[in-house]
Amino acid sequence: MARFIFITGGVVSSLGKGLMAASLAALLQARGYKVRIRKFDPYLNVDPGTMSPYQHGEVYVTDDGAETDLDLGHYERFTGVSARQSDNITSGRIYRDIIARERRGDYLGATVQVIPHVTDAIKAFAQADVDDLDFVLCEIGGTVGDIEGLPFIEAIRQLRNELGRERTCSLHVTLVPFIAAAGELKTKPTQHSVRELTGLGVQPDLLLCRCEKPLPDGDRAKIALFCNVRKEAVIPALDASSIYAVPLQYHAEGLDAEVLRHFGMTSPAPDLARWDDIVDRCQNPEGEVTIGVVGKYVGLPDAYKSLNEALVHGGMAHRVKVNIRWLDAELFEQDDADIAAQLEPLHGILVPGGFGERGSEGKIASVRFARERNVPFFGICLGMQMACIEGARNTAGVAAASSTEFGETSEPVVGIITEWMTPEGLETRAAGGDLGGTMRLGAYEARLSGNSRVANAYGGTTISERHRHRYEVNVAYREALEHGGLVFSGMSPDGLLPEIVERPDHPWFIGVQFHPELKSKPFDPHPLFAGFIEAALRQSRLV
């Protein structure tokens, strides 16, 4: 029988609800419980797939091909439970489905309303496929009081009445700001936030109070009194030295114990040895490397959230601190750009995924630098495509090599893919069709060359990785590229789609069409990131 924990946020956004949900799930999991986390997003986009990374951060992709909120990446990294299509819902998707049903006549002439039709859809989403779970954590995006979030709060209220307190818990994340002029923490914003939520029919059972200073016992008692919760249910949440220290910090404050007390449950103490080791590796590195990420959206690190964490995980594998230098690819396209001055101090260069022509020539220039200077290079998705274009231009004699993504070209080394095989059969796409949900999305298998560096890294020749792209390297250029030293070491099972390229004569030069960062975890670093950081560590000893 699944128990539901509904997580809301108040006062301001960006309080870390997703990280809190992931940490609590990890603590419950460490006590032996089976957990799953779901995200409710109130915006009207069907999914974040067509949203700018500057608007929403990265788009996280699941094995089953869903484009989801980046918080699902936190959920996977902390629990190891693979997210799926049914773990992220938006208002847009709910309204789209309801309107489609109304147009078909499924409601038999009834007036379609927010209550009960929208709230019923939200409740059905929360309760789907939970029979084998002990806990389902449901994070509500946005802030209490937002107009677009009201149907979700109402759905929670109804579910709490229908399932009872013995199966539901309301956890509210709020802010206790420190006012420097007064020299004290202020509890009033938390009181107002709880009053707002209670006014909507949902009385919080636990409060997680984000604060930058320790929460005095008196303030904790005051919050409990005015917010109608037990003092022990007011959990301080101070900033942590690393996001991976948060589960241990919340456990020390009694969060998981208080959740179990609410449900009348007892369990042995959690086994947190894994988290102790992760934090030790973060806090006590035995070396460091500097990696340059040459990208398009470097002004917002959340645009590369999983990439950032995967690099950190690669460092953990070798007990190395990874310093990331974010480099705007467009700066390398200026006439007076001193590319060498920017890239020479680096121990590794990574070109990540992205869309569009902007910054592409700067990425190609950074690939060339890495190839010519024997600096470890890792190209991901568009980064692999830029590596192929650079190789075609400078080692294969195809001077006009380009991508059809950037406009018409006589040498389409990279071109739009219009059909590919999925487990369900042939998938097709029109070049001028919708942008949303029309890419090659989700997990696909690849076959690796037995004598390749990547096969050695994976420890096998069959892999499954997650994709998110519209364009592919044109296999017709394989012979020319391989003659120039860029080997196709991974292909789709049918041999038509290039998945991995590498340079055997280079210390470490690998490009992949998929997104390995989406499967990396602190307790299970992705082998390609572990290999990349190992190569960067060797490079650091040469500099």
Side-chain angles (χ1 to χ4, degrees), residues 128-348:
D129 302 322
V130 299
D131 291 341
D132 62 338
L133 300 174
D134 297 306
F135 291 98
V136 182
L137 286 73
C138 300
E139 179 195 347
I140 314 300
T143 306
V144 168
D146 295 343
I147 290 174
E148 60 265 31
L150 293 177
F152 294 92
I153 302 299
E154 171 60 19
I156 288 175
R157 185 194 69 79
Q158 293 179 22
L159 269 177
R160 283 170 64 81
N161 284 340
E162 292 167 12
L163 300 178
R165 284 178 58 86
E166 64 276 8
R167 286 190 61 196
T168 62
C169 175
S170 171
L171 198 164
H172 191 53
V173 183
T174 184
L175 178 69
V176 181
F178 177 77
I179 306 300
E184 61 183 1
L185 294 165
K186 292 296 184 180
T187 66
K188 194 63 70 177
T190 291
Q191 295 177 43
H192 284 305
S193 180
V194 171
R195 185 177 304 161
E196 177 85 24
L197 184 58
T198 304
L200 297 172
V202 179
Q203 165 63 46
D205 301 302
L206 287 88
L207 298 176
L208 190 78
C209 299
R210 288 297 311 275
C211 41
E212 58 182 296
K213 303 282 186 181
L215 189 64
D217 197 61
D219 284 349
R220 196 171 177 179
K222 183 178 180 181
I223 291 171
L225 175 66
F226 283 99
C227 296
N228 197 30
V229 298
R230 297 169 66 251
K231 179 182 171 184
E232 293 78 11
V234 179
I235 310 294
L238 277 73
D239 293 342
S241 58
S242 160
I243 62 172
Y244 300 114
V246 172
L248 296 177
Q249 184 173 307
Y250 285 174
H251 173 67
E253 295 291 353
L255 176 60
D256 50 323
E258 193 61 27
V259 167
L260 292 179
R261 189 213 64 82
H262 169 84
F263 287 113
M265 302 169 67
T266 58
S267 79
D271 179 4
L272 298 174
R274 178 162 79 177
W275 292 100
D276 287 328
D277 179 61
I278 290 169
V279 172
D280 181 59
R281 288 173 178 269
C282 285
Q283 296 179 346
N284 300 294
E286 297 174 356
E288 62 180 77
V289 296
T290 301
I291 303 298
V293 177
V294 183
K296 180 178 176 180
Y297 312 111
V298 295
L300 181 69
D302 268 1
Y304 301 111
K305 186 62 181 172
S306 291
L307 179 68
N308 183 99
E309 297 310 315
L311 287 168
V312 172
H313 304 162
M316 288 180 186
H318 303 285
R319 200 175 277 273
V320 169
K321 179 184 179 184
V322 178
N323 302 308
I324 302 175
R325 186 171 298 172
W326 301 98
L327 301 170
D328 189 340
E330 286 188 278
L331 298 179
F332 293 169
E333 298 177 345
Q334 299 175 6
D335 292 339
D336 60 347
D338 189 347
I339 298 174
Q342 294 285 337
L343 299 182
E344 277 180 349
L346 304 175
H347 305 130

Side-chain angles (χ1 to χ4, degrees), residues 1-22:
M1 180 179 65
R3 297 164 179 83
F4 294 84
I5 301 172
F6 299 111
I7 299 163
T8 54
V11 184
V12 295
S13 60
S14 301
L15 287 179
K17 295 193 303 296
L19 187 58
M20 192 287 302

Side-chain angles (χ1 to χ4, degrees), residues 16-23 25-26 29 36-41 43 48 56-63 66-85 87-88 139 243-244 247 275 302-310 313 466 515-524:
K17 295 193 303 296
L19 187 58
M20 192 287 302
S23 298
Q29 193 180 56
R36 180 165 287 280
I37 319 177
R38 288 180 166 161
K39 178 70 183 290
F40 302 72
D41 278 312
Y43 52 73
H56 196 260
E58 77 167 0
V59 175
Y60 193 78
V61 179
T62 61
D63 279 336
E67 294 176 284
T68 71
D69 184 80
L70 63 82
D71 276 332
L72 272 73
H74 285 314
Y75 305 164
E76 278 204 29
R77 285 188 287 273
F78 276 64
T79 66
V81 177
S82 292
R84 55 196 184 194
Q85 187 101 229
D87 290 331
N88 190 199
E139 179 195 347
I243 62 172
Y244 300 114
W275 292 100
D302 268 1
Y304 301 111
K305 186 62 181 172
S306 291
L307 179 68
N308 183 99
E309 297 310 315
H313 304 162
R466 298 177 188 176
H515 288 271
E517 70 272 22
L518 300 179
K519 296 183 74 170
S520 187
K521 301 171 183 62
F523 44 82
D524 185 20

Side-chain angles (χ1 to χ4, degrees), residues 359-369 386 389-390 393:
S360 60
E361 291 300 325
K363 295 174 184 179
I364 291 170
S366 67
V367 175
R368 181 171 186 173
F369 181 92
M386 297 300 96
I389 291 173
E390 190 280 329
R393 290 179 182 178

Side-chain angles (χ1 to χ4, degrees), residues 296 333 354-364 381-383 385-387 389-390 393 400-409 411-416 471:
K296 180 178 176 180
E333 298 177 345
F355 296 92
E357 185 176 10
R358 181 168 62 84
S360 60
E361 291 300 325
K363 295 174 184 179
I364 291 170
C381 198
L382 182 65
Q385 296 171 7
M386 297 300 96
I389 291 173
E390 190 280 329
R393 290 179 182 178
S402 188
S403 169
T404 59
E405 182 177 5
F406 309 149
E408 291 187 10
T409 174
E411 298 287 1
V413 172
V414 177
I416 191 167
Y471 293 82

